[in-house]
Amino acid sequence: MRPEQLSLQLLAWIYLANANPIAQKGGLGVLDISDTNDLSVRQRFEEVIRLDCASQRRKALKRKTDGDSRTYIPTCSPKNSLLYDKLQCYDVSAYCWCVDELSGEPKIGTSTARGKPKCEDRTTTTVAPKRVRRNNRCKEKRRTRFLRRLVSTIKSEMIMNGVNATKVSRDSAIRWKFNQLNVNHNTVLERSEWKPFKSVLLEWKNVRQCSRNLFKTCDLDRDRKLTFEEWRKCIVQEINRVPAKRPDQLNPFLYILRPE
């Protein structure tokens, strides 16, 4: 049972139990309060009956019988006569429109001449906006800066591990780090070997997306392993595409002298 039907019946039972002069006609929900002198009772029932399609239709048919041929007669829902049918039509003007089932109020923008709008399709539902994944946060200049920083960090790590600074270059740093990470010495980096280094990179500020996806973007053949050639190509090609513009970008101790 719908809430509006239940409240109408509940009001009827209350007032009938209190012996108010309110009669039932045609079953529960079709009420006649024309004889009551209680203003509060009249107002409360008129508010309910205003939304009752069966009552409004009965009144309209009476006016038409009395001679008003242009009277609009509402169509009630076939499932519940208290509710309005979603589609209403006025034969005199050949217009049809959609209404609210409970109140019968027309829905703006649905009126159609010599045709019937699709009222079933006009139910408005709130659709949550799709979350847009920002996959472009590690592209172009941002990725280049990240890789340049990666090489500088590896160079400084080599020097702090006792490698002669004169022998430290970009290519030697890339090879040194690859050998350091390749714990099982099988000439390829596996994800299990990469994971500890990834944890270190994820601590860098403002480049989390680059750190997270570095292994995946360098794995060109998608075999979940990194060869040295893939590792080197991934870094060198990107850095060469955008040459360093400032001397401090080549400083291997840049990110140690100027910590985050």
Side-chain angles (χ1 to χ4, degrees):
M1 182 180 295
R2 292 176 176 267
E4 62 273 7
Q5 185 179 5
L6 179 60
S7 18
L8 184 59
Q9 292 182 356
L10 183 59
L11 281 172
W13 291 331
I14 291 173
Y15 286 110
L16 287 172
N18 291 331
N20 281 284
I22 300 171
Q24 283 187 279
K25 293 183 180 180
L28 199 58
V30 181
L31 307 177
D32 184 3
I33 61 171
S34 57
D35 296 330
T36 181
N37 295 320
D38 190 331
L39 182 59
S40 63
V41 173
R42 179 185 294 275
Q43 289 175 340
R44 294 179 67 179
F45 269 98
E46 283 180 349
E47 180 64 21
V48 176
I49 293 175
R50 186 181 65 84
L51 306 179
D52 180 3
C53 179
S55 298
Q56 295 298 326
R57 179 178 175 83
R58 189 179 68 253
K59 292 177 181 179
L61 288 173
K62 186 177 184 303
R63 286 195 298 269
K64 186 172 184 179
T65 303
D66 292 341
D68 187 356
S69 60
R70 300 184 64 86
T71 298
Y72 158 64
I73 302 174
T75 303
C76 300
S77 171
K79 296 180 180 180
N80 188 339
S81 62
L82 297 178
L83 302 179
Y84 291 83
D85 191 68
K86 293 181 180 180
L87 177 66
Q88 299 289 322
C89 293
Y90 184 39
D91 295 335
V92 176
S93 63
Y95 268 90
C96 292
W97 62 93
C98 301
V99 302
D100 181 83
E101 287 182 288
L102 180 59
S103 66
E105 295 179 3
K107 294 185 178 181
I108 299 175
T110 62
S111 180
T112 304
R114 303 189 182 281
K116 295 181 179 180
K118 296 180 179 180
C119 299
E120 294 292 340
D121 299 335
R122 300 189 64 87
T123 302
T124 57
T125 55
T126 303
V127 180
K130 293 183 178 180
R131 183 178 179 182
V132 179
R133 299 186 64 182
R134 299 175 61 186
N135 294 326
N136 61 343
R137 290 187 294 176
C138 188
K139 288 186 178 181
E140 300 177 353
K141 293 182 180 180
R142 182 183 290 270
R143 178 173 170 81
T144 302
R145 288 196 298 268
F146 168 74
L147 293 175
R148 186 171 285 124
R149 176 181 179 181
L150 176 65
V151 173
S152 296
T153 302
I154 296 174
K155 286 181 179 180
S156 62
E157 187 180 351
M158 287 179 67
I159 295 172
M160 288 189 294
N161 276 272
V163 179
N164 192 323
T166 60
K167 297 181 180 180
V168 175
S169 64
R170 182 184 63 192
D171 290 340
S172 65
I174 293 173
R175 168 63 74 176
W176 181 83
K177 193 62 181 179
F178 183 89
N179 292 337
Q180 184 190 58
L181 297 176
N182 187 24
V183 178
N184 58 12
H185 306 290
N186 63 347
T187 69
V188 294
L189 292 183
E190 300 174 359
R191 283 186 173 270
S192 58
E193 295 173 319
W194 177 262
K195 192 172 181 179
F197 186 51
K198 178 182 177 180
S199 300
V200 175
L201 297 179
L202 286 173
E203 294 180 0
W204 291 5
K205 294 181 180 180
N206 303 323
V207 289
R208 189 174 182 84
Q209 193 74 13
C210 296
S211 303
R212 182 186 294 112
N213 296 328
L214 180 59
F215 188 98
K216 183 178 180 180
T217 54
C218 292
D219 183 16
L220 300 178
D221 58 6
R222 300 292 186 266
D223 63 351
R224 300 175 67 86
K225 297 178 182 179
L226 278 186
T227 64
F228 173 74
E229 189 58 31
E230 286 177 323
W231 167 248
R232 179 184 174 280
K233 187 177 181 180
C234 177
I235 298 175
V236 173
Q237 281 190 349
E238 190 73 31
I239 292 179
N240 286 343
R241 188 165 57 185
V242 184
K245 295 182 179 181
R246 304 193 312 270
D248 62 350
Q249 292 181 328
L250 303 176
N251 183 354
F253 286 96
L254 172 63
Y255 300 101
I256 296 178
L257 299 176
R258 191 179 64 195
E260 294 178 323

